[in-house]
Amino acid sequence: MITPARKLLVTGGAGFIGANFILYWMKKYPQDKIVNLDKLTYAGNLENLKEIEKNSNYGFIHGDICDVGTIDEAMQGIDVVVHFAAESHVDRSIKKPSKFIVTNVVGTQMLLNSALRNNVKRFHHISTDEVYGSLELSDTNKFNERTKYNPRSPYSASKAGSDHLVRAYYETYGLPITITNCSNNFGPYQFPEKFIPLAITNILENKKVPVYGDGLYVRDWLYVVDHCRAIDLVLNKGKIGETYLVGGMTQDISNLEVIKKILKIMNRDESFIEHVKDRPGHDRRYAVDWSKIEKELGWKPLHDFDEWLEKTVEWYKENEKWWRDVKTGAYQKYYKEQYGE
Ligand code: NAD
Ligand code: TYD
C-alpha cells in the first residue's frame, strides 16, 4: 500500500490514456504531485490537460524517455512511475518499425535503470493484450496471465520486449514493479488514427469509414476510465511483481458490429462503410479474461460499451475544435499514405 501524499512520474501523459489518467488521478488524489514527462510526438497533445495545467501539484517536462539526463532529472524524489509513453499504433509500426523498438524497448529499459538508481517505490508498466498474439474466431478461449507471449506485429513485439524487461528488472534487481496488459481503450482525447475516433470523426466530416478486410475482426473494448480505475487499484493494492489483465467485455463484438453501432448512434446508413485492403498480419481476435484482477483486487468494468460509445460520440461532437486541430497537415499526409486518396 502506497501512502499519500505521493509524487508520481507519468510518462506519455499528453497522450490519450496518460492524459485521462492524470485527469482522473488529480481529481481523486488532489494531495499527490504529478510530473508528466512527454516527448510530444504527433500523438502527444497538451490540450488534453488544459483543465489541470495550472494546478500547482502538476508539472510538465518536455523530453524523451530515451534521454538519460532528462529521465534522471525527472526521477528525482519520485515514489511511483506510471509508464505509458510509447509508440502505440499498429499500422504505423508496420510502415516504420524502428521508432517502436527505440521508444518502447530501449526507452523502457532506460527508465527501468533510472527507477532503480533512484529507489522508486513502484514502477508500473502499461502494456497491451496484443503481446499474446491472435485467437481464432471459433476459439472460446481468452487471454489470461498464463497465456504464452506470441506477438505478431512490430508494435506488439516491441511491447512484449518491454514487458520482459520490466519483469527482468524485478527478478534480477528487485525493482518493485507491476504490469497491466489491457485491451483496446476508447473514450475522450483518443487520437483519430485508432478505429473508433477515426470512424466518428470521419462520419462527422461526411467521409466513409475504412474497414479492413472482411471486418470480422474482434477486439475487447475498455472505456478509458475503467482502465484508470484498474491502474489505481493495482498501484494501491496490487502485489509487487504481478501482472494483471484488464478488459471491458464479456462477449465478442466484431469491427463491423462496432461501426454499425456508431452509424446508428449518428443516424447514418451503412453506405458509410468502405471495405479496404486488409492490414498485413492482422490479428483476428483478442479476448481478455479479467478474472484475476476481479478476484484479487475487486475490479470490474463499470462503463457499459453501448452507453459509453454513445457518450464518446457526444464528446467528439462537442469537441470539434480538438479533433479538427489534430486532423491537419501531418495527419492528412499519414491518412493519404495509409488509405490512399
Ligand atoms: P498515445 O499514442 O495516445 O500516446 C503516447 C504518448 O507517449 C504521447 O503523448 C507521446 O508524445 C508520448 N511519447 C511517445 N514516445 C515518447 C518518448 N520517446 N518519450 C516520451 N514520450 C513519448 O498512446 P495511448 O493510446 O495513450 O497508449 C498509452 C499506453 O497504453 C502505451 O504504452 C500503449 O502501448 C498502451 N496501450 C494502449 C491501448 C489503447 O487502446 N490505446 C491498449 C493497450 C495498451
Ligand atoms: P486499432 O484501433 O488500430 O487498434 P488495434 O489494431 O491496436 O487493435 O484497430 C482496431 C480494429 O479496427 C483492428 O481490428 C483494425 C481495425 N481497423 C479498421 O478496420 N480500419 C481502420 O481504419 C483502423 C485504424 C482499424
Side-chain angles (χ1 to χ4, degrees):
M1 180 87 177
I2 300 153
T3 47
R6 302 154 285 195
K7 192 169 174 193
L8 278 71
L9 173 63
V10 173
T11 69
F16 161 49
I17 308 175
N20 275 284
F21 177 79
I22 292 176
L23 297 175
Y24 165 97
W25 196 273
M26 296 202 74
K27 217 167 268 161
K28 181 145 180 217
Y29 304 106
Q31 73 282 15
D32 285 354
K33 291 191 187 308
I34 291 192
V35 176
N36 172 17
L37 169 62
D38 199 295
K39 187 179 176 182
L40 299 181
T41 66
Y42 77 91
N45 187 348
L46 291 176
E47 286 295 312
N48 304 354
L49 294 162
K50 266 264 173 280
E51 65 181 88
I52 53 93
E53 70 182 0
K54 295 202 172 79
N55 188 314
S56 57
N57 281 340
Y58 169 77
F60 175 66
I61 299 175
H62 185 192
D64 191 328
I65 57 163
C66 298
D67 178 36
V68 69
T70 305
I71 54 182
D72 269 347
E73 203 185 312
M75 207 65 80
Q76 296 308 308
I78 292 296
D79 301 303
V80 179
V81 177
V82 190
H83 176 35
F84 294 94
E87 289 292 337
S88 69
H89 192 41
V90 173
D91 292 326
R92 291 186 194 252
S93 85
I94 294 168
K95 289 233 153 70
K96 288 186 183 160
S98 301
K99 235 192 265 176
F100 285 71
I101 310 307
V102 174
T103 289
N104 300 2
V105 183
V106 178
T108 299
Q109 191 261 337
M110 300 194 76
L111 274 177
L112 288 163
N113 263 346
S114 180
L116 196 60
R117 274 197 298 276
N118 287 284
N119 296 314
V120 303
K121 299 188 184 84
R122 178 74 68 87
F123 186 101
H124 183 72
H125 178 57
I126 308 296
S127 193
T128 167
D129 60 355
E130 303 191 21
V131 298
Y132 299 113
S134 181
L135 297 163
E136 297 295 328
L137 286 182
S138 56
D139 202 340
T140 51
N141 287 324
K142 295 182 171 192
F143 300 136
N144 63 45
E145 289 78 2
R146 295 171 305 285
T147 306
K148 230 176 98 200
Y149 274 43
N150 183 27
R152 299 174 67 253
S153 73
Y155 164 66
S156 54
S158 69
K159 292 298 287 186
S162 67
D163 292 12
H164 292 317
L165 283 165
V166 174
R167 283 193 200 97
Y169 271 67
Y170 166 66
E171 298 291 348
T172 309
Y173 307 112
L175 184 71
I177 65 101
T178 39
I179 301 178
T180 41
N181 291 79
C182 69
S183 57
N184 288 57
N185 286 221
F186 70 102
Y189 302 113
Q190 186 167 31
F191 193 85
E193 65 189 349
K194 304 288 194 317
F195 186 52
I196 288 180
L198 184 142
I200 297 170
T201 56
N202 269 21
I203 296 165
L204 288 172
E205 290 179 298
N206 238 359
K207 284 191 193 138
K208 293 196 178 193
V209 178
V211 171
Y212 294 155
D214 58 16
L216 300 178
Y217 294 87
V218 170
R219 296 294 181 262
D220 177 293
W221 296 100
L222 170 68
Y223 189 64
V224 64
V225 174
D226 277 329
H227 183 194
C228 296
R229 291 176 46 245
I231 300 166
D232 180 357
L233 265 181
V234 172
L235 287 176
N236 283 300
K237 295 192 183 148
K239 212 172 134 209
I240 301 293
E242 291 289 312
T243 293
Y244 300 88
L245 259 60
V246 184
M249 312 287 277
T250 48
Q251 279 186 333
D252 280 7
I253 181 167
S254 71
N255 292 342
L256 268 180
E257 288 170 284
V258 171
I259 186 63
K260 284 179 187 167
K261 279 182 191 291
I262 294 174
L263 287 168
K264 195 159 170 230
I265 294 167
M266 299 180 76
N267 291 317
R268 298 292 209 287
D269 66 34
E270 291 176 16
S271 65
F272 274 83
I273 297 174
E274 183 172 32
H275 286 272
V276 299
K277 198 161 125 266
D278 212 346
R279 171 188 282 175
H282 196 169
D283 289 337
R284 188 46 110 172
R285 171 173 172 260
Y286 302 146
V288 175
D289 170 358
W290 40 266
S291 57
K292 175 178 170 178
I293 188 167
E294 184 182 29
K295 278 196 203 103
E296 294 186 10
L297 306 182
W299 178 91
K300 65 176 179 187
L302 295 180
H303 295 79
D304 169 72
F305 180 66
D306 286 37
E307 184 184 345
W308 288 84
L309 185 62
E310 209 169 319
K311 293 203 161 108
T312 300
V313 170
E314 272 316 301
W315 188 87
Y316 281 89
K317 276 190 184 163
E318 282 165 11
N319 290 276
E320 187 168 335
K321 180 165 170 14
W322 181 90
W323 60 262
R324 283 208 188 271
D325 284 351
V326 167
K327 277 190 150 186
T328 49
Y331 180 88
Q332 296 301 336
K333 186 165 173 278
Y334 161 78
Y335 198 92
K336 222 176 265 172
E337 279 169 18
Q338 181 63 24
Y339 300 100
E341 290 301 326

